[in-house]
Amino acid sequence: MSIDWTPLADLIETHDRFLVTTHVRPDGDALGSEVGMAGLLRQKGKDVRVVNSSMTPPRYAFLDPDRSLFEHFGADVGPGALGDREVLVILDLSAWNQLGDMAGFVREFPGPRVVVDHHVSQDDLGATFLKDTTAEATGTLVVRAFHDLGGTLTPEVATGLLTAIAMDTGWFRHPNTNAQTLRTVAELVDAGAEIDRIYRLLFEQNTLGRLKLMGETLSRLRTDACGRIAYATISRDDLASTGAIPQDSEDLVDFTVSMSGVKVGLLFIEQARGGVKVSLRSRDGLDCAGLAGRFGGGGHRAAAGATLPDPMSESVERVLDAVRKALDEDGRSTA
Ligand code: AMP
Ligand code: MN
Ligand code: MN
């Protein structure tokens, strides 16, 4: 799927002040793509602000070494201070609920909005969608924007975009990794992304709190549906007792599908504001985005998420029930 970048080129031609944002609980693809997009727009002489609804997880602080790029809506900047922004560029999301506290601001935003994304699920965000659902990461699409709009991949931009692609491919292990992925990575390494340094910064900066949370979570891993489902829960108390922060739960869901025989892995995380976030991961094709959609969430086929309003035990039961049924239906249709 190729993207026609003309709508973005036209906006660059006709506007000066851009606002870039991404999804709540931003991951490497979200933040790395922002580094890339901000770099591209600045090379085009644009005034760019990057404002997110969530704080930057410490793990990704290296993407903004002098803390001059990422601003936080509500904390550093309110809607009033963004009144001069002419164009809104939204990265790595296509759903209202992924905008968090910025949803109202985005709804009211008077100027044009563009979404650059690769998610299957899609709401009508009143935006021009520059989308390729076959892309492994939004970062890949930003690399293509550099090619098509004529930008230079600087070491800083290449570091952001390599982080984006690395995180959404599980460090080049998931089935969305292909030869073209690796060619893109090679181009980013040529441009100055230091793959060993990025790996160290992403995976070897664990805090004691995160490692303890990992241990706690793994010690409570359960299976269901004759070992086809593996799931774990993280409560607010778990965070307090281990000294972890909410962002420390990123990637822990991967352990659930690392178990032999597991088709669907689930991680349930109690949210500070109430409700339970569930992350879904599948192996061998069960549609996580479809399952998450039933609970108001979305994502990709192999990785999706949703937030349920119910307490933990009910959330677990509701989702387990839906996954068991989906596995049974899947089993019948493929039998
Ligand atoms: P997570 O489980 O949060 O790592 O999310 C897995 C994938 O699903 C990511 O690509 C998310 O952007 C996407 N996702 C998570 N929650 C939602 C949601 N409520 N609505 C739409 N997409 C989501
Ligand atoms: Mn993302
Ligand atoms: Mn992504």
Side-chain angles (χ1 to χ4, degrees), residues 142-193:
V142 178
V143 173
R144 287 197 221 150
F146 266 87
H147 294 161
D148 284 30
L149 302 181
T152 305
L153 294 168
T154 61
E156 182 193 12
V157 158
T159 299
L161 295 175
L162 193 142
T163 300
I165 298 170
M167 293 311 283
D168 264 23
T169 58
W171 202 264
F172 323 114
R173 291 169 306 168
H174 296 328
N176 59 355
T177 308
N178 54 47
Q180 186 53 40
T181 312
L182 301 178
R183 281 185 207 106
T184 304
V185 169
E187 183 183 351
L188 296 171
V189 171
D190 275 341

Side-chain angles (χ1 to χ4, degrees), residues 23 25 27 92-93 95 97-98 118-119 121 168 253 277-281 296-300 303-307:
H23 59 78
R25 295 181 292 269
D27 51 25
D92 198 39
L93 75 88
N97 64 27
Q98 291 293 85
H118 66 138
H119 287 90
S121 336
D168 264 23
V253 65
K277 162 86 202 291
V278 60
S279 288
L280 302 93
R281 300 290 184 269
H300 310 280
T307 303

Side-chain angles (χ1 to χ4, degrees), residues 191-203:
E194 297 170 285
I195 202 161
D196 56 329
R197 186 179 79 93
I198 295 172
Y199 182 86
R200 240 184 9 256
L201 289 167
L202 287 171
F203 295 100

